Amino acid sequence: NTYKAKCFLVSAYPDTMLTIKDEEATLYAEALNDRELFSHLYGEKCDSKEMRAIERFVNWYETIERTPLVITYMNSLQVNGLPALRLARKMQPKDYEKGERTFNEVLLEFLPQCLIIHGNESLKMFRQQYSDIMIDYHQTITKAKDLEEVGPFGELMLTSGHRVLIFACRHMSN
């Protein structure tokens, strides 16, 4: 149950581009809240070294914390890699902004206690998008691997008054 999750693992964008047909939208939405269903339906399409490492981390986290860890994205726009995401920002600004708004809606809906920002690109995007409502304790540290060592590197103050601790980690397949 996503509402029971206390922490989100946040990447820049979905690791694998999925094409979902309109008639599959409801099933896809259900699969986003059911990791086993998602794996069954889309596992082969989403099989990458990074996703396997993320799954191992999620399994470890959930065993230790006994609570779900939600995998989510700074931008939910389905693109084929980081260069395509950067191009979409310029060429498809409405779609890009909608992808950013989706993440913000997820934050406000589920109110996690902490975010683990996954990778340098996610960290850069997060700081850009949330600089106005974020207390950043370590603004001069720009690499996720360096922020891993400091514990929470900041706090996010949501419009609801809810505070979220922010951590960072490097890509897990490195």
Side-chain angles (χ1 to χ4, degrees):
N1 183 343
T2 307
Y3 286 97
K4 292 182 180 179
K6 295 178 181 174
C7 192
F8 287 4
L9 179 64
V10 183
S11 295
Y13 61 93
D15 187 46
T16 304
M17 188 169 126
L18 294 175
T19 304
I20 308 300
K21 297 175 186 164
D22 288 344
E23 60 269 13
E24 297 172 342
T26 302
L27 186 58
Y28 176 69
E30 288 176 25
L32 290 175
N33 283 311
D34 183 336
R35 195 170 299 125
E36 287 181 29
L37 178 60
F38 189 90
S39 180
H40 174 73
L41 296 172
Y42 308 108
E44 288 181 18
K45 295 177 184 175
C46 296
D47 187 33
S48 68
K49 185 177 174 184
E50 188 66 19
M51 281 307 295
R52 287 190 300 274
I54 287 171
E55 282 298 321
R56 285 191 297 276
F57 175 77
V58 168
N59 290 338
W60 171 83
Y61 176 92
E62 291 179 348
T63 299
I64 299 298
E65 294 297 322
R66 300 189 188 278
T67 184
L69 176 66
V70 173
I71 301 168
T72 191
Y73 307 98
M74 287 295 307
N75 195 309
S76 61
L77 182 62
Q78 293 285 319
V79 294
N80 194 10
L82 186 55
L85 183 65
R86 289 180 177 145
L87 184 61
R89 185 176 193 168
K90 294 175 186 170
M91 305 300 289
Q92 301 169 275
K94 289 182 181 179
D95 292 338
Y96 185 89
E97 290 167 10
K98 182 179 180 186
E100 285 184 331
R101 277 194 314 275
T102 300
F103 175 67
N104 196 52
E105 291 168 4
V106 167
L107 276 181
L108 293 174
E109 175 72 22
F110 296 103
L111 299 172
Q113 293 176 4
C114 75
L115 302 175
I116 302 170
I117 309 300
H118 173 235
N120 291 328
E121 190 62 32
S122 305
L123 179 61
K124 181 180 170 185
M125 289 172 68
F126 187 84
R127 282 178 158 159
Q128 287 172 348
Q129 189 171 337
Y130 290 98
S131 63
D132 57 333
I133 61 169
M134 178 181 166
I135 301 167
D136 193 337
Y137 308 139
H138 300 282
Q139 295 174 3
T140 58
I141 302 176
T142 60
K143 302 280 186 207
K145 71 178 184 121
D146 297 329
L147 285 171
E148 285 177 338
E149 298 175 18
V150 301
F153 73 89
E155 293 178 50
L156 195 62
M157 301 300 295
L158 300 180
T159 54
S160 65
H162 186 76
R163 294 169 66 148
V164 183
L165 290 176
I166 309 163
F167 297 80
C169 72
R170 70 189 99 183
H171 279 279
M172 295 182 195
S173 63
N174 291 344

